[in-house]
Amino acid sequence: MSKKCFEVEPIGRAKLMALTESIRTFFRLEGPFCPILQVVELGFPRVQGFERTHITIGEHDEMGDRHGLTFPEEQEIRLRVDVYDGVEANKGRDRFTLAHELGHLLLHSKPGLARTMRESSEIEPFRSSEWQADTFAGCLLMPITYLQTGPSISEIATTCGVSIDAATTHTRLLRKAGMLR
């Protein structure tokens, strides 16, 4: 089954990686683990232009199957209540969701940006809003400098606080792109 996403201005993996490295530097994140909840709730509101950044909680009946939503104009990330609780408990899947939504906030908030809703299979990955947000999240939560040290998938998941699936997918895609051995 195909899924719909927005076609957006192209951004490649290298640029997304550079952006996440600059975020890590700005917030002085020295180790591989990114305290994503603190970065979003406490860090970004102190950054010029992102002072209104905030997380709101949505109930199951309101959000349904959606784990998170982003409203760039309001600088709002809305997480389903169980996902927010999971981020607080350092659950990998939920941490990735928050990082993914932060990606949407940072990458897809330009006013007047022409967006076209299309089947994801019809869009080149670097033009897909979902691919960009997933790649952003992977790069932020699993920095290349750590991955280049050769940890196992299990070590990546544990150290970076991500799921085994996220660690497997991110490293596979970096290898395929020739950015990781």
Side-chain angles (χ1 to χ4, degrees), residues 20-127:
T20 59
E21 288 172 8
S22 69
I23 290 168
R24 288 179 148 278
T25 299
F26 182 85
F27 289 113
R28 296 186 175 112
L29 305 178
E30 296 178 9
F33 183 83
C34 173
I36 188 66
L37 189 59
Q38 290 80 7
V39 167
V40 174
E41 287 190 319
L42 303 175
F44 269 93
R46 294 181 177 175
V47 175
Q48 185 176 4
F50 293 95
E51 297 89 350
R52 296 181 307 118
T53 300
H54 64 287
I55 297 173
T56 58
I57 308 302
E59 297 298 327
H60 279 276
D61 58 350
E62 168 195 356
M63 296 189 67
D65 290 340
R66 295 173 297 197
H67 291 203
L69 295 168
T70 300
F71 303 95
E73 305 79 27
E74 290 84 29
Q75 293 186 348
E76 174 187 351
I77 294 172
R78 183 170 303 152
L79 296 178
R80 202 172 62 196
V81 63
D82 60 310
V83 175
Y84 184 86
D85 291 344
V87 176
E88 283 188 311
N90 283 323
K91 290 187 178 176
R93 171 72 172 85
D94 299 325
R95 286 172 34 78
F96 194 92
T97 296
L98 178 53
H100 173 99
E101 297 303 329
L102 177 62
H104 282 308
L105 181 71
L106 298 177
L107 302 169
H108 307 131
S109 61
K110 290 182 184 175
L113 178 63
R115 299 177 192 201
T116 305
M117 183 69 87
R118 297 185 43 202
E119 296 292 331
S120 59
S121 60
E122 298 173 359
I123 302 173
E124 296 166 296
F126 57 89
R127 291 182 178 275

Side-chain angles (χ1 to χ4, degrees), residues 114-158:
R115 299 177 192 201
T116 305
M117 183 69 87
R118 297 185 43 202
E119 296 292 331
S120 59
S121 60
E122 298 173 359
I123 302 173
E124 296 166 296
F126 57 89
R127 291 182 178 275
S128 162
S129 60
E130 293 305 308
W131 179 89
Q132 289 177 7
D134 278 345
T135 301
F136 173 91
C139 292
L140 182 63
L141 297 179
M142 295 171 271
I144 189 77
T145 52
Y146 171 67
L147 300 180
Q148 290 170 334
T149 66
S152 68
I153 295 297
S154 177
E155 290 170 326
I156 295 167
T158 300

